[in-house]
Amino acid sequence: MRRDLTLAGAWTQFVLRGLEACGIDARAICQRCGLAYAELDDPDARVPRDASGLVWREAARATRDPLLGLHAAMRMPIGLNNLLAHLVMVSPTLLDGFARAGRYQRTLTHANVLSLRSQGDDVALVLARIDGDLQVTHHEIEFQAGLLSRFGAFVLGDAWRLAEVRFEHAAPPDGAAAHAQAFGCPVVFGASENLLVVPRAVITHPS
């Protein structure tokens, strides 16, 4: 297990809250994966990225839910739980906020996972899949995408909308209906990148 790629304990707690919102016993999952649940309260705690990957794999095995990442993102409480969220909130627009927070994302994540790319009348929020010894699961990608969408709605309310969402992984056996409902836009699978496409008029709307 690589020790050079680590996540903040705070992010791991965030993930566990999402899993708990799906009815999962997070403490039991941590125990089976060799994580000390209580130590995550330490503000300086760091968790190997691969350990987080084990948590997702164990949770998916226990629930047999092919949409676990999406369900966790959509069911968990959303709020201002960290300084990066506050940094986005106090910025003039979401575009400004995501650009500012992106410079400090390594305080939470194992790498620069989120980047912004201009696409004409849209801005793409690109989620890079940066693997450790274990590949990043589709649950983790869908969890991140779902949280970004819900956070956008938390900041902008009814002004928030997405033009499209793209995922590298294949569509679930039952199709993309649940994803289209969750994101409120067309969702494409088997794409070359994981990204959320936001109309420029939306992401530059005053926060």
Side-chain angles (χ1 to χ4, degrees), residues 52-150:
S52 181
L54 285 175
V55 167
W56 279 107
R57 283 168 169 77
E58 180 61 24
R61 185 200 64 78
T63 61
R64 300 180 184 273
D65 180 2
L67 305 183
L68 178 59
L70 183 68
H71 289 156
M74 295 301 163
R75 294 174 185 173
M76 71 177 298
I78 288 289
L80 301 180
N81 72 310
N82 62 67
L83 288 176
L84 294 189
H86 280 279
L87 184 58
V88 176
M89 281 289 292
V90 301
S91 298
T93 68
L94 276 176
L95 182 60
D96 294 322
F98 285 139
R100 290 175 178 176
R103 302 170 194 153
Y104 307 103
Q105 60 184 296
R106 292 293 293 270
T107 61
L108 285 181
T109 65
H110 64 295
N112 292 330
V113 174
L114 176 65
S115 62
L116 308 179
R117 185 174 68 223
S118 179
Q119 296 187 171
D121 293 334
D122 301 316
V123 175
L125 307 180
V126 183
L127 293 169
R129 184 190 295 270
I130 302 173
D131 300 321
D133 289 333
L134 294 178
Q135 288 188 338
V136 174
T137 66
H138 75 275
H139 298 298
E140 294 168 85
I141 295 294
E142 292 190 2
F143 181 71
Q144 294 164 8
L147 287 181
L148 280 173
S149 180
R150 288 195 63 200

